[in-house]
Amino acid sequence: MKLARRAVLRLAAGAAALPAASWAADAQDHPKPAQSVAPLAERLAVYADRLRYEDIDAATIERVKTHLIDTIGCGIGAFNEGPVGICRNVALAVSGNATIIGTNNRTTPELASFANGAAFRYFDFNDTYVGRFSVHPSDHIAACLAVAEAERASARDLILAIVIAYEVNCRLVDALDITARGWDPPVMSLPAVALAAGKLMKLSPGQLTQAVNIAVNDHIPMAQTRVQTLSDWKGLADAEAARNAVFAATLARGGLTGPAPIFEGQSGFFKQVSGPGDIDPDKFGGGDVAFLIHRCAIKPYPAVIYTQTAIVAGIDVAKEVGSLDRIAAIEIATTQRGYQRTGSEPEKWSPKTRETADHSLPYITARAMFDGDVTNDSFASEMFGDPRILAFMQKITVREDPALTARVGAAPTRVTAILADGQRISREVDYAPGFSERPMNRSEVERKFRGNVGKRWPRERTDAIQRALWAIDERDDLSRLLGQLSMPTKP
C-alpha cells in the first residue's frame, strides 16, 4: 500500500479528538490563520501512523539489516567495557520483558534501551548521518529492539520502526541546527524514538503526538557533553534520550498529555532550542521518495565522523612521505563542525580520556600516520599517552576551510605534510569507505562484525548469528533471536 502523502497535512481520524493540550486548546488566545497546517508534532505522528511495511522497498529493508548487524556487532565488541557494564548492572536490577543483549536477562524496555544503547555507541563505531550536524541514528536500534520484544511485535514491525526512527531523526537534522545554540544532537533522538516506540506499541495518532510532546519537552540535553575534556557521558547521552523517549511513549499510551504545540509554541522548541525550520513530513521517505537511511554511513574506524576521512588521507600521506621524521609540520583542513568538535580546544592536543582521544583530530591523524590504521586498541590510555605521538601532535595545526564546510552532508578533510626541505605532500578525501557514496557490501559488513565480536564466539556460531540476522524479516520470535547473542560467563 502506497503511503497516502497528501493526507499527511491533515490529522488521521484517530487524532481528531486530541486532548485539550493540543494546538486547538490555544485557539482562543492564538487563533490559527486560515489554511494553516497542523502542528509539527501532529504531522510527524500522522506520518508514523500512516507508514506501512509495504511502503518500504527491498533495498531499504536490506539497508536496515546492514545497519542492524553492524550496530549489534559494535555492542558486542563493547560488552566488557567499564561504563557499559555499569549501565548493564543498573538495568539488571529491574526485571522486565526486554533482553539485555549479551545476556539471558531481561529488564524494562526503557532500561534495555539504555543499557543496549550504551553498548552500541560506546566505541563510537556505529553509523553516522551528516546533515547540518552529525548524529548516530543506529543509537535508536536499541530502543526499537527493546520495545519490539516487549510488545511481541513481528520482525517486520521492528524494521518499520527502525525506518521511522532513522527518517525522522535525519530529516530533523537536515532542517534544524540545534548545535549552533549549544544543544546536544540527542535532542533529535527524542521525537524519533518516541514515534518508533509508539508505532510498535500501536498508539493512535493522538497518542503518538503526546509521546512526542512529552519526550521533547523535558529532556533537552546540553552540548557540554561534547566539548573540552570528554567524559563517559559522551557515549551514553543518546542511550539516555532513548530511555526517556520510550518512557514518554509508555505514558502517552496510558493517556497522559504533554505540552503543546511543542515545536511552534510561545516557549516551544523552535523559539527556545532550534530557531525556525521548514519541516514537511509530506516529503519524508515512502512511496517515490527515498528513505534517508541510504545516506547514513557505516564507519570503517572507531572514531568521530569528522576524523574518518582524515584517517584515510593521513595514511596516504604517510605512505608517500616514508619516514615521518622528514615532516616539519602537518596542516589539517576540515569543516566548521569538524574544527569545532575535534580541533578547536587545547584538550584535543593532550587527551586524558578515551572519549577525548576519539574526538581529537590531531591525535587520530597522528595515530593513523604512525600505525597505518585506527582501531579500538588505538584508544588505550598508554596509546594516547605515547610520547612519540604527543610530540608529533605538536607539529599539527587544524583549521576550517570554508570550501570544505560548503560540502553539506559530507565530512571532508585535507591533510598536508610540509617536509623539512619545504616540499608539500597533500591528500584531500571527501568520503571514507562505508560512507553512502562508498557503501559497504555484505562481506565488508560481516568482516567488520567479526572484527568487533573477536573471539567471543566460535566462528561457526558467529556465522550462524549473521545468517539469522540477515534473515530477520523472516523471524517471528525476536526474543529467541536476541537470546542467541548471549555471551559466555567468562568471555
Side-chain angles (χ1 to χ4, degrees):
M1 181 180 69
K2 293 278 187 180
L3 180 63
R5 302 205 148 278
R6 298 278 71 84
V8 178
L9 294 180
R10 301 186 297 273
L11 292 179
L18 281 172
S22 72
W23 173 266
D26 289 335
Q28 184 174 354
D29 296 327
H30 308 285
K32 290 192 289 184
Q35 298 181 339
S36 64
V37 297
L40 178 58
E42 295 179 8
R43 289 182 284 132
L44 291 172
V46 171
Y47 173 76
D49 178 68
R50 293 290 180 91
L51 194 66
R52 297 290 182 266
Y53 183 81
E54 291 74 19
D55 297 314
I56 305 173
D57 57 285
T60 300
I61 293 170
E62 174 76 5
R63 191 77 175 193
V64 169
K65 294 178 185 179
T66 296
H67 287 262
L68 175 64
I69 291 169
D70 179 63
T71 302
I72 288 175
C74 292
I76 294 298
F79 185 82
N80 287 330
E81 297 301 315
V84 173
I86 291 171
C87 297
R88 184 168 60 248
N89 289 337
V90 169
L92 284 169
V94 181
S95 61
N97 52 1
T99 297
I100 299 175
I101 291 176
T103 78
N104 288 312
N105 303 105
R106 297 180 186 176
T107 185
T108 63
E110 59 267 25
L111 284 175
S113 299
F114 179 66
N116 293 336
F120 291 168
R121 178 63 176 277
Y122 182 74
F123 282 142
D124 214 338
F125 209 1
N126 58 326
D127 72 14
T128 301
Y129 178 79
V130 180
R132 298 182 73 174
F133 54 97
S134 67
V135 290
H136 296 259
S138 54
D139 287 341
H140 310 336
I141 289 176
C144 292
L145 284 169
V147 177
E149 181 183 15
E151 297 295 318
R152 298 188 177 183
S154 69
R156 291 188 170 194
D157 291 336
L158 168 65
I159 290 171
L160 176 59
I162 292 172
V163 169
I164 289 171
Y166 270 73
E167 189 69 10
V168 172
N169 191 5
C170 296
R171 295 287 177 180
L172 292 178
V173 168
D174 280 349
L176 305 169
D177 187 359
I178 50 91
T179 63
R181 295 190 176 199
W183 301 109
D184 202 31
V187 168
M188 300 309 192
S189 303
L190 296 163
V193 175
L195 291 166
K199 182 73 170 182
L200 287 162
M201 294 177 186
K202 302 188 185 305
L203 301 190
S204 70
Q207 291 171 316
L208 287 169
T209 301
Q210 298 308 323
V212 172
N213 291 342
I214 295 167
V216 170
N217 189 77
D218 283 279
H219 310 292
I220 305 294
M222 295 185 295
Q224 185 61 31
T225 298
R226 269 157 250 287
V227 298
Q228 297 179 281
T229 297
L230 276 59
S231 68
D232 292 336
W233 198 249
K234 184 264 291 180
L236 306 179
D238 224 330
E240 171 68 359
R243 183 184 74 88
N244 286 317
V246 170
F247 188 55
T250 304
L251 295 175
R253 176 161 61 179
L256 288 182
T257 63
I262 195 60
F263 289 100
E264 301 89 344
Q266 290 183 11
S267 295
F269 191 90
F270 290 156
K271 185 171 183 179
Q272 301 290 95
V273 179
S274 68
D278 181 13
I279 305 162
D280 184 0
D282 196 33
K283 298 178 181 178
F284 285 15
D288 296 329
V289 180
F291 293 102
L292 287 188
I293 191 172
H294 293 283
R295 284 178 47 196
C296 294
I298 292 180
K299 288 184 179 180
Y301 306 105
V304 68
I305 186 63
Y306 305 109
T307 66
Q308 301 288 311
T309 49
I311 294 169
V312 177
I315 291 171
D316 284 349
V317 167
K319 286 179 179 177
E320 183 166 346
V321 168
S323 172
L324 299 185
D325 292 337
R326 299 176 61 203
I327 296 176
I330 294 281
E331 296 175 350
I332 302 177
T334 182
T335 63
Q336 179 186 53
R337 192 74 64 196
Y339 173 71
Q340 290 171 343
R341 284 289 180 259
T342 67
S344 64
E345 301 163 327
E347 290 86 354
K348 300 302 189 289
W349 270 261
S350 182
K352 299 296 191 296
T353 66
R354 178 205 163 92
E355 291 74 21
T356 305
D358 72 23
H359 273 54
S360 164
L361 194 50
Y363 172 74
I364 291 168
T365 305
R367 192 87 262 173
M369 294 180 74
F370 270 77
D371 300 343
D373 198 3
V374 171
T375 69
N376 286 326
D377 292 338
S378 301
F379 301 104
S381 57
E382 64 272 17
M383 297 295 279
F384 59 74
D386 183 344
R388 296 178 310 144
I389 296 295
L390 292 174
F392 189 78
M393 287 165 63
Q394 301 312 306
K395 299 179 180 181
I396 296 176
T397 57
V398 179
R399 65 178 180 85
E400 177 202 354
D401 181 342
L404 300 184
T405 300
R407 297 174 196 170
V408 177
T413 313
R414 183 172 61 254
V415 175
T416 303
I418 304 169
L419 306 188
D421 62 5
Q423 181 183 359
R424 299 173 68 91
I425 298 174
S426 185
R427 292 290 184 278
E428 184 173 305
V429 178
D430 281 348
Y431 308 108
F435 282 35
S436 59
E437 293 77 9
R438 300 172 62 184
M440 291 187 185
N441 57 36
R442 277 197 176 197
S443 63
E444 290 169 328
V445 171
E446 290 175 355
R447 184 163 56 249
K448 180 182 172 183
F449 182 90
R450 291 191 187 97
N452 275 318
V453 170
K455 298 180 180 179
R456 297 181 188 278
W457 301 316
R459 176 64 181 257
E460 296 78 12
R461 184 181 177 191
T462 299
D463 290 348
I465 288 170
Q466 286 189 327
R467 287 194 298 270
L469 290 171
W470 283 121
I472 192 171
D473 51 330
E474 302 170 12
R475 305 279 304 208
D476 54 11
D477 186 353
L478 290 175
S479 290
R480 184 176 178 184
L481 175 60
L482 295 177
Q484 291 181 250
L485 303 175
S486 63
M487 308 278 264
T489 305
K490 294 181 179 181

